[in-house]
Amino acid sequence: MGVESGAIPVKAGRMGSLVSKARAWYSGVPLLGWLLGVLVAVALEHILGRRVARALGMSKEPVLFGFVTMLRDPALLPSAVLYVLLIYLLPIAAVARLTAQLTNRLAATLLSLSSGVSSAVHLGLIYGALHLWSDLSDYRLLLVRLTLIAIMVTLSLNLVNGYMGEFSCSHPGFMALGAYTASVFTVILFVDDRVFGAPLLALPPLLGQFVFPIALILGGVVAALGALLVAVPSFRTRGDYLAIVSLAFMFIVKSLIENLEIVGGPRGLQGQPDWANLPTVFLWAVACIWIINNFVRSTLGKALNAVRDGEMAANAMTVDTRRTKMVAFLFAAFWAGVAGGLFAHVLRYVNPGTFDLKKLAEVLAMVYLGGLNSVMGSIVGAVGFNLLSEALRPLQIIKWMIIPVLLILVMIFRPTGLIAFREFDVQELIRPKGEPQQH
Amino acid sequence: MPSLQVEGMTHYFGGLRAVHGYDLRVEPGQIRGLIGPNGAGKTTIFNLVTGRYTPTEGRITLEGEEITGLEPHKIASKGLGRTYQNLRLWRHMTVLEHVKLARYSKIGYGLVGAFFGTSRRHREEAEIEERANTLLELVGARHFADQVVTSLPYGAQRRVELARALATEPKILLLDEPTAGMNLEELVQMMDIVRRIHDELGLAIFLIEHRMKIVMELCDVIQTLVFGQVIAEGTPNEIQRNPAVIDAYLGKDVVT
Ligand SMILES: Nc1ncnc2c1ncn2[C@@H]1O[C@H](COP(=O)(O)OP(=O)(O)OP(=O)(O)O)[C@@H](O)[C@H]1O
Ligand SMILES: [Mg+2]
């Protein structure tokens, strides 16, 4: 007894000190260093991935950090783990640590130029890593783009359900409006379509990149107009009308499109031009995060929190609470609409069945998993949910038991989500980190 | 011109007549008191004046401008600040955010500034923050600025609410039992602060208070309300000696 109870703390202590040592060892690595590490790892996969995979007995690089591989064929588990270790973890850890001094100095220099320049360089590295990683398979390219779009949808819903504390269910409806508006616009104008006939404007394909933003913004605006229909009755009186009205709205939009033969009815609409490539989706996602984060950190945006935590007091403190709610709701719908437009052009096909209760459940799950009232939470929620959902795909039906159980666990242990009520401070993220402590 | 004037205000909650034929005239720079037993209708008068309820009858003017029936946020931005009997703070927000937010109606950068972080926004936010810090200094809560408001001791929460009301730049400040639930130390501090904001900012103050000592010390003129009706109005001395007041209120409650 005495020996055992003595042995365990020693062991835990050793483990603990190892962890804290590693943490101290890496506390001096700035974000720039980590991103550099990731970029190197991804580049390494580009060059050596195939050979390493073959050497480990796999036919090609594991597509999603080995998860899919090992779930399909458990015998390959050691190979998959080894691959992830060799290609991703070790190089990232090594590069991040070894270049820490350099990246710290670089981060300081960049920040002294301007935080805009520094942010741009960080974003460049992120884009570079995503580009190289998704270059290896079409599946990855699709997954990255859909995840970026999911971030936009999640963040915009967080604005309403988290920052403003209402419960809205109409986001799939707004996405549908955006998806169809943008699609109809691009298909009529620029594509030789069966239904809509020859393109009204025959543009050289390169120019599409300049017209596409118009289509997306148009989709966002139509979604915002739809939001107006929900907002006017819901926000006129106090009480929880929004949940019901917005749910009804989602179903109405879906059945409206199903009955609209001109856009294909339940069969859907296809043939969207291939304009939603990775850089385009990436830029829109960055714009969405940047603008929403600006908004929620301004005093005008903080009014949403005051409305949530005490509408009456907010009103007595000069806040026009109805206007605040309207603006936030329409703004959120706009971004859902833009995301919908991107979604339709990534898949180059859209049908009304996509925007149903299942979609709603997914979006809500991402918001509540990631964390209410938090930009970082929405990013983590969307990325986490999408990766998890893809990684568990080989389990088929069991996947839909594991994911809800995980969600319930999160709700029990972290009722407001993983990273809730946190400010997303870019300045803080990109600053150089102090020298690691000496031991 | 009076800071705040109320004429013939009556309010019904369904069949209950909570306020009846209420008149009030607060001169600039005056400190006014409103006392009365529980359920007399004191808080209801505040809620009527601030626009939370629209009076069944009557007329309310703020510096000569009629505000009857306006939305609360419009009345507040015209210069009427208030605190609450039971604190109404925003539980996820920091102390500084509370005070900054009360300047909402004075923000000029608009949605463009909010979305795109223009230089005008950064300038205005810096100004708002400086002003908020000054007010927090005034109520002795500056060192709490970055804390979430629920983590503060009770007395400090009341002072934050006061700073928040001041940030709306009121011409008249309505305080609903500013010392309710406070211990002696907090109470003395609160009285000091009320005096100081009155002297430094030159506001008119209209306060509801149960502790007689405070009302008697602070107020120039006091009204006594019973069942929604004013039964006596006068200086602290007059009120203390008024038999109707002693009978209805002071006699039964404590004369502390
Ligand atoms: N929203 C409401 N609906 C119905 N009745 C109300 C409402 N608000 C207050 N009342 C009633 O009006 C009367 C006056 O209430 P009020 O809160 O104004 O009293 P008060 O003088 O502030 O009392 P206290 O000293 O307890 O704060 C009470 O009988 C109360 O029950
Ligand atoms: Mg009261």
Side-chain angles (χ1 to χ4, degrees):
Chain A
M1 253 308 263
V3 176
E4 261 181 41
S5 62
I8 291 164
V10 169
K11 212 171 176 188
R14 204 174 283 156
M15 272 297 283
S17 85
L18 214 70
V19 169
S20 71
K21 222 177 225 164
R23 193 174 283 170
W25 189 241
Y26 277 99
S27 68
V29 177
L31 182 61
L32 199 63
W34 291 112
L35 292 181
L36 196 65
V38 171
L39 192 65
V40 168
V42 176
L44 199 66
E45 183 175 44
H46 236 264
I47 303 163
L48 291 175
R50 183 66 53 98
R51 257 176 280 170
V52 172
R54 292 248 166 87
L56 289 168
M58 294 178 286
S59 58
K60 61 180 175 56
E61 312 84 339
V63 74
L64 197 66
F65 311 111
F67 283 109
V68 179
T69 314
M70 57 180 124
L71 285 176
R72 281 228 181 92
D73 183 359
L76 285 177
L77 191 138
S79 313
V81 171
L82 210 57
Y83 180 90
V84 171
L85 205 64
L86 285 177
I87 295 289
Y88 296 116
L89 296 183
L90 287 179
I92 292 175
V95 171
R97 187 63 198 87
L98 291 176
T99 62
Q101 229 179 7
L102 182 82
T103 47
N104 262 321
R105 229 178 304 144
L106 195 61
T109 316
L110 286 172
L111 207 55
S112 71
L113 285 176
S114 92
S115 64
V117 172
S118 182
S119 306
V121 170
H122 282 81
L123 284 173
L125 284 178
I126 295 174
Y127 178 78
L130 286 177
H131 183 99
L132 285 179
W133 190 73
S134 56
D135 204 29
L136 280 183
S137 83
D138 287 344
Y139 168 78
R140 284 183 181 180
L141 182 61
L142 187 65
L143 177 62
V144 168
R145 287 182 295 168
L146 290 181
T147 303
L148 287 168
I149 291 167
I151 291 174
M152 297 172 72
V153 179
T154 308
L155 184 54
S156 60
L157 184 61
N158 202 341
L159 215 50
V160 179
N161 288 29
Y163 287 89
M164 197 163 82
E166 295 273 348
F167 196 90
S168 168
C169 302
S170 44
H171 251 51
F174 298 146
M175 281 183 78
L177 288 179
Y180 270 89
T181 307
S183 299
V184 167
F185 182 79
T186 55
V187 172
I188 285 185
L189 286 185
F190 308 106
V191 177
D192 195 1
D193 184 72
R194 264 179 303 119
V195 184
F196 297 113
L200 294 179
L201 295 167
L203 278 182
L206 211 64
L207 239 87
Q209 284 306 318
F210 299 96
V211 185
F212 193 36
I214 300 174
L216 293 175
I217 289 171
L218 212 61
V221 169
V222 169
L225 287 178
L228 198 60
L229 294 181
V230 179
V232 168
S234 304
F235 295 145
R236 199 164 51 188
T237 39
R238 289 212 183 90
D240 281 334
Y241 295 109
L242 182 64
I244 294 164
V245 177
S246 61
L247 191 64
F249 178 83
M250 184 190 91
F251 285 118
I252 292 171
V253 169
K254 182 167 170 272
S255 58
L256 206 70
I257 297 172
E258 270 167 356
N259 288 299
L260 217 58
E261 266 312 312
I262 182 89
V263 292
R267 278 168 290 111
L269 185 64
Q270 59 182 8
Q272 286 87 339
D274 190 13
W275 289 340
N277 51 22
L278 185 58
T280 305
V281 178
F282 183 77
L283 280 179
W284 276 98
V286 167
C288 171
I289 295 170
W290 182 67
I291 292 175
I292 291 184
N293 192 43
N294 272 337
F295 179 56
V296 297
R297 296 191 70 194
S298 73
T299 299
L300 277 188
K302 290 266 161 70
L304 295 184
N305 297 347
V307 165
R308 175 195 61 206
D309 291 349
E311 187 171 348
M312 215 178 66
N315 210 342
M317 296 304 134
T318 76
V319 177
D320 186 344
T321 49
R322 190 171 339 124
R323 193 195 129 196
T324 298
K325 290 201 273 187
M326 289 280 220
V327 165
F329 194 67
L330 265 60
F331 183 53
F334 171 84
W335 283 112
V338 171
L342 285 167
F343 182 77
H345 285 78
V346 165
L347 297 179
R348 305 184 66 190
Y349 166 70
V350 60
N351 73 335
T354 314
F355 307 103
D356 59 355
L357 270 178
K358 188 164 159 281
K359 189 92 199 160
L360 176 64
E362 268 177 36
V363 182
L364 287 172
M366 291 189 280
V367 171
Y368 288 88
L369 172 74
L372 295 175
N373 201 94
S374 161
V375 171
M376 193 44 122
S378 284
I379 297 173
V380 169
V383 173
F385 184 88
N386 274 274
L387 286 186
L388 197 68
S389 167
E390 284 306 312
L392 297 178
R393 190 187 284 275
L395 297 179
Q396 290 163 5
I397 194 77
I398 302 173
K399 171 178 138 180
W400 291 114
M401 294 182 200
I402 295 178
I403 289 180
V405 167
L406 279 175
L407 269 174
I408 291 167
L409 286 178
V410 170
M411 289 293 110
I412 290 172
F413 293 107
R414 288 221 166 201
T416 50
L418 293 174
I419 313 177
F421 297 98
R422 201 84 61 79
E423 290 242 333
F424 185 59
D425 187 348
V426 176
Q427 294 269 2
E428 170 63 26
L429 274 179
I430 60 179
R431 76 178 170 85
K433 301 290 190 304
E435 284 296 296
Q437 292 135 330
Q438 302 296 311
H439 281 279
Chain B
M1 197 193 329
S3 284
L4 178 69
Q5 185 164 21
V6 181
E7 293 158 291
M9 183 167 75
T10 297
H11 190 67
Y12 285 86
F13 288 118
L16 174 78
R17 192 174 65 192
V19 177
H20 182 52
Y22 179 78
D23 291 312
L24 173 74
R25 196 184 156 92
V26 185
E27 300 299 338
Q30 209 177 27
I31 303 188
R32 273 281 194 153
L34 182 62
I35 62 173
N38 291 113
K42 304 182 296 296
T43 300
T44 303
I45 288 177
F46 272 25
N47 285 337
L48 287 165
V49 171
T50 54
R52 167 125 191 258
Y53 309 134
T54 305
T56 317
E57 268 172 50
R59 218 175 95 90
I60 308 161
T61 51
L62 184 67
E63 296 203 321
E65 185 185 352
E66 173 149 12
I67 55 169
T68 328
L70 290 185
E71 284 177 274
H73 68 91
K74 294 220 175 92
I75 295 180
S77 50
K78 284 181 192 298
L80 205 142
R82 76 170 292 182
T83 65
Y84 292 90
Q85 181 171 355
N86 313 107
L87 291 168
R88 288 187 186 274
L89 294 166
W90 300 305
R91 65 195 182 102
H92 291 105
M93 292 171 67
T94 68
V95 169
L96 185 65
E97 283 170 355
H98 272 75
V99 185
K100 286 177 74 177
L101 193 71
R103 302 195 61 77
Y104 180 93
S105 67
K106 276 105 198 156
I107 291 172
Y109 56 72
L111 286 175
V112 173
F115 292 160
F116 301 105
T118 55
S119 59
R120 171 164 184 197
R121 163 193 166 166
H122 291 294
R123 199 176 56 240
E124 271 191 46
E125 290 278 353
E127 283 165 15
I128 293 174
E129 187 159 330
E130 200 187 312
R131 175 85 189 128
N133 276 321
T134 313
L135 289 173
L136 284 174
E137 191 86 61
L138 189 67
V139 302
R142 174 89 190 254
H143 53 293
F144 292 124
D146 291 325
Q147 288 189 32
V148 173
V149 76
T150 43
S151 67
L152 265 55
Y154 180 75
Q157 294 192 9
R158 282 217 167 261
R159 284 181 277 131
V160 169
E161 222 190 28
L162 184 59
R164 180 178 73 175
L166 288 174
T168 64
E169 285 184 14
K171 292 161 182 155
I172 174 164
L173 185 62
L174 274 50
L175 305 175
D176 196 345
E177 304 201 19
T179 66
M182 283 188 165
N183 62 36
L184 192 66
E185 192 191 335
E186 291 171 334
L187 187 146
V188 172
Q189 202 178 5
M190 184 50 109
M191 279 183 71
D192 272 354
I193 291 168
V194 171
R195 273 205 202 93
R196 195 156 8 115
I197 58 177
H198 177 252
D199 296 345
E200 286 184 18
L201 306 174
L203 301 172
I205 295 175
F206 182 30
L207 63 91
I208 298 173
E209 190 47 77
H210 265 301
R211 303 198 212 213
M212 269 324 117
K213 195 163 172 291
I214 295 178
V215 199
M216 298 299 166
E217 270 188 38
L218 283 177
C219 300
D220 306 319
V221 182
I222 299 166
Q223 280 180 332
T224 309
L225 196 72
V226 176
F227 291 121
Q229 273 181 293
V230 176
I231 58 158
E233 178 161 355
T235 64
N237 263 329
E238 290 164 1
I239 289 293
Q240 253 168 332
R241 270 185 264 114
N242 188 317
V245 176
I246 294 173
D247 193 40
Y249 185 50
L250 296 180
K252 273 186 288 171
D253 262 281
V254 262
V255 195
T256 42

